[in-house]
Amino acid sequence: MGRKRCLAVLLLMAMVISGIPQNVFATEEIAREEGFSDGADSVEIEIPDEESGFELETDQELEDSEGFIGGESEDIAAEDEMAGEADPETSTFDGDISTSPVGDTGKCGENLTYIVTDDEINGYTMTISGTGDMYNYDYIELWYEKCGQIKNVIIENGITSIGDYAFWNWENLSNITISDKVTSIGNCAFGDCSSLRNVIIPNSVIRIGWSAFSNCSCIKSITISNNVTNIDDSMFSGCSSLESMMISNNITRIGFNAFYGCSSLRSLVIPNSVTNICAYAFKDCSSLQSIIIPNSITNISKEMFSGCSSLSSVTIPDSVTCIETSAFGGCSSLDNITIPNSVTDIGGGVFSGCSKLGGIIIPNSVTNWDGSYAFYGCNSLESIKLSNGIADINNYMFKYCSSLKSITIPNSVTRIGEHAFWECSNLNSIIIPSGVMGIEGYAFCFCSSLKSIVIPASVTSINWDAFYGCEDITIYGYIGSYAETYATEKNISFVSLDESIGSCDYDYSSELDKWLLNKGTSNSFNYLVKESNFLCPVSVVANDADFAAGVTEAISNLAYRGLDGWKELANGATSRDQ
């Protein structure tokens, strides 16, 4: 009775404070056990019974009311619970990673289950057990909400495959143990696991999907199973800490973007089993210093080594027939490269940004070349020998080649493209061969050292700004040609090749020299205006169409030059290849 009285008093006080009328309890007079009088020692309040009209159903309701002692409202209690008073072992997951996953269990395959455990050293571990394949997932929704807390995953014996996106974006996953029963790792299975460090792929694995380890930025090394034959697309792209990797002799293909952005990768041995390396495979591997391309490769794909800024040495085998667009673009440490005679096709921008490349020979085997941007920004390039089969000096081909001093343009060229020699500030003279018909916009813009250019009668079009910024240039051409008309319109100095060489620093001493010079083409003059006087005995036949006539010229000229000339002939100074 005493307990009930006490609780009734407390309940009445809470109701009074909250504004509930007291008269709900007034169905019966409060009884005095010993009468009411002034100075009475105590007052007892009797709890209303069922007949009073107020029903107190259970003792539990009274116990629940204790939560409001002292005037606390339901709102205040709720705030306290939100502040962290809820039991983490029993409350449901609401996105707060502080909620413990220990004991979580569920299915991740038809016959597979997982359970999460914890220890103080290794952190939360998910163990997957059962038989068969994991489910395949997608990137839209994570299949396990608390994946951000899992540090270790153990794939036990019996599991045969790891599904697509199985552990994608588990950002705190650092260790994975894969049993030797697993044969397949799905697409993007561990993609974006930015804390993953240790991975051992057992020999049972025969397939690894695309992007399986992409953006795993903490992986430093990895060994691929000997039974895997394909490094799939983007498999290791973005693995910025990957320093080394062994590629087995069973690999036949390296996919698109396979090692894109592996900025710590220093060396890589590609076995002869590889027959296909796809575009962007090693793009932006900025620490890669050297690489040997195996004899099994026939094609260097688009941007394969683009952005490999530490690459200084590349060996291209005789098996290669094609070098695609920007294959070596941005290889700013590449100072030397040899293109074999097997190459027939070269794409645009192939050496753009190779700022240390000092010289290169393009073999005559190259007949199909999109030369646009080919040597763009190669500001150390001093000399180049071009293939006799190329059709154009294409747009931007030598733009910003500020060290280029001389170049011989093959007779096969018919066009000088836009910006072709823009800001080649050390180029001092150039010969345009007789097959060229047009010189396009800004072709020689800002070639500030260009003093002389020979333009043949075949040229019928020169853009108005082709020589913009060439302040001291002189055009050598033929009377009545478009070159003369252009020079007159642009107020550029013009010297006729038909009548005079008076402005040239050439001390000709014989009638033969004059005859060679005024033969009716600019071929002989090509050698006059270059550097010192080496019209004779250095070859005047290199660009002559008729070999027999050229040899006659050379030998006749040597007769006038004496013993020194014959010595140069014996040493090969006079030849058609020069």
Side-chain angles (χ1 to χ4, degrees):
M1 182 67 180
R3 180 176 179 274
K4 287 187 176 182
R5 289 174 183 168
C6 181
L7 290 174
V9 171
L10 294 174
L11 178 62
L12 181 60
M13 291 174 63
M15 287 182 158
V16 169
I17 292 173
S18 61
I20 300 175
Q22 297 182 42
N23 57 10
V24 296
F25 299 100
T27 57
E28 188 173 309
E29 291 287 344
I30 299 176
R32 299 184 180 89
E33 287 186 357
E34 298 179 356
F36 180 82
S37 60
D38 293 336
D41 294 331
S42 64
V43 177
E44 291 187 358
I45 300 176
E46 186 174 355
I47 297 177
D49 58 20
E50 295 180 1
E51 295 180 356
S52 68
F54 178 82
E55 183 175 345
L56 188 62
E57 294 182 350
T58 64
D59 287 347
Q60 183 63 43
E61 291 189 34
L62 290 172
E63 292 175 6
D64 290 344
S65 70
E66 294 178 8
F68 300 92
I69 294 174
E72 285 184 311
S73 67
E74 291 181 356
D75 289 340
I76 295 174
E79 289 176 5
D80 287 342
E81 184 174 354
M82 291 177 64
E85 293 184 359
D87 183 0
E89 296 287 345
T90 59
S91 60
T92 58
F93 179 72
D94 59 0
D96 184 356
I97 63 170
S98 65
T99 305
S100 172
V102 171
D104 285 356
T105 187
K107 291 187 66 176
C108 54
E110 287 298 322
N111 299 304
L112 303 183
T113 58
Y114 68 86
I115 187 168
V116 178
T117 57
D118 181 28
D119 66 62
E120 294 181 358
I121 298 175
N122 297 318
Y124 297 123
T125 298
M126 174 179 283
T127 301
I128 298 175
S129 59
T131 58
D133 300 339
M134 282 188 71
Y135 290 134
N136 287 322
Y137 302 96
D138 58 41
Y139 62 89
I140 297 175
E141 185 176 359
L142 297 170
W143 65 273
Y144 180 60
E145 288 181 317
K146 304 176 192 176
C147 63
Q149 299 179 75
I150 304 300
K151 291 188 176 181
N152 312 285
V153 168
I154 299 173
I155 309 292
E156 291 193 335
N157 288 331
I159 290 87
T160 54
S161 77
I162 298 172
D164 295 348
Y165 291 91
F167 304 99
W168 173 72
N169 203 27
W170 288 32
E171 59 186 16
N172 286 313
L173 180 63
S174 58
N175 299 288
I176 176 80
T177 302
I178 303 173
S179 78
D180 58 7
K181 300 299 182 183
V182 172
T183 61
S184 175
I185 297 175
N187 300 330
C188 216
F190 299 96
D192 290 345
C193 290
S194 55
S195 299
L196 188 61
R197 296 176 183 275
N198 303 311
V199 180
I200 298 175
I201 300 174
N203 283 329
S204 58
V205 173
I206 60 175
R207 174 190 174 270
I208 303 175
W210 48 261
S211 297
F213 296 94
S214 62
N215 297 318
C216 292
S217 54
C218 285
I219 290 180
K220 290 189 175 182
S221 65
I222 191 167
T223 301
I224 296 179
S225 159
N226 289 331
N227 294 316
V228 174
T229 60
N230 176 33
I231 296 179
D232 214 334
D233 301 345
S234 301
M235 186 184 289
F236 300 104
S237 64
C239 292
S240 55
S241 296
L242 185 65
E243 296 177 354
S244 62
M245 181 176 179
M246 292 294 296
I247 299 178
S248 78
N249 289 325
N250 292 324
I251 297 293
T252 61
R253 175 182 180 271
I254 298 176
F256 293 91
N257 305 303
F259 295 93
Y260 190 149
C262 293
S263 55
S264 297
L265 188 64
R266 289 183 172 84
S267 62
L268 192 69
V269 177
I270 302 174
N272 286 324
S273 59
V274 176
T275 58
N276 184 16
I277 304 177
C278 298
Y280 314 102
F282 301 100
K283 183 174 181 179
D284 290 344
C285 291
S286 55
S287 296
L288 189 65
Q289 296 177 0
S290 64
I291 194 161
I292 298 175
I293 300 170
N295 290 324
S296 53
I297 297 297
T298 60
N299 185 58
I300 298 179
S301 301
K302 181 179 180 181
E303 297 193 45
M304 185 189 291
F305 300 102
S306 176
C308 294
S309 55
S310 297
L311 188 65
S312 59
S313 174
V314 179
T315 301
I316 302 176
D318 291 337
S319 58
V320 172
T321 60
C322 177
I323 303 175
E324 293 188 7
T325 301
S326 299
F328 298 97
C331 293
S332 54
S333 296
L334 188 65
D335 56 8
N336 183 43
I337 189 167
T338 300
I339 299 175
N341 289 323
S342 57
V343 175
T344 59
D345 295 66
I346 298 179
V350 65
F351 297 107
S352 61
C354 293
S355 55
K356 287 190 177 180
L357 189 64
I360 192 168
I361 296 174
I362 308 298
N364 289 333
S365 59
V366 176
T367 56
N368 184 20
W369 188 10
D370 174 12
S372 56
Y373 294 90
F375 300 97
Y376 182 100
C378 294
N379 51 26
S380 296
L381 187 67
E382 295 183 0
S383 63
I384 183 169
K385 185 181 186 301
L386 298 175
S387 164
N388 287 329
I390 66 171
D392 298 320
I393 301 296
N394 220 328
N395 300 343
Y396 303 88
M397 191 169 185
F398 296 99
K399 187 169 184 177
Y400 298 126
C401 291
S402 56
S403 297
L404 187 65
K405 295 179 179 179
S406 64
I407 185 171
T408 299
I409 300 175
N411 283 335
S412 56
V413 172
T414 61
R415 165 183 167 267
I416 310 294
E418 296 179 359
H419 296 243
F421 294 93
W422 174 297
E423 211 168 303
C424 291
S425 53
N426 273 304
L427 188 65
N428 51 46
S429 64
I430 195 164
I431 310 301
I432 307 298
S434 57
V436 173
M437 294 180 287
I439 301 174
E440 297 183 2
Y442 298 105
F444 296 93
C445 182
F446 297 121
C447 291
S448 54
S449 298
L450 188 60
K451 305 299 181 185
S452 63
I453 183 168
V454 175
I455 301 178
S458 60
V459 173
T460 58
S461 173
I462 303 175
N463 195 278
W464 69 272
D465 51 10
F467 301 99
Y468 184 85
C470 301
E471 301 296 339
D472 300 320
I473 191 171
T474 297
I475 294 176
Y476 294 85
Y478 295 94
I479 293 174
S481 67
Y482 185 80
E484 182 186 25
T485 302
Y486 179 86
T488 301
E489 290 177 353
K490 299 299 179 184
N491 198 28
I492 297 174
S493 175
F494 178 81
V495 174
S496 169
L497 295 176
D498 296 289
E499 298 178 354
S500 171
I501 59 168
S503 61
C504 299
D505 296 327
Y506 176 62
D507 181 18
Y508 57 96
S509 59
S510 71
E511 292 298 321
L512 177 60
D513 289 341
K514 294 179 181 179
W515 175 79
L516 290 172
L517 186 61
N518 295 290
K519 184 172 176 286
T521 70
S522 63
N523 293 334
S524 298
F525 189 74
N526 292 357
Y527 302 93
L528 170 65
V529 296
K530 281 186 173 183
E531 298 179 2
S532 59
N533 303 328
F534 63 106
L535 169 63
C536 305
V538 175
S539 174
V540 296
V541 303
N543 294 314
D544 286 340
D546 186 275
F547 180 73
V551 171
T552 300
E553 288 179 16
I555 293 176
S556 298
N557 197 22
L558 287 166
Y560 280 84
R561 292 297 176 183
L563 182 61
D564 289 340
W566 287 104
K567 286 180 179 178
E568 292 186 15
L569 176 62
N571 291 331
T574 304
S575 68
R576 290 190 63 83
D577 293 330
Q578 184 167 344

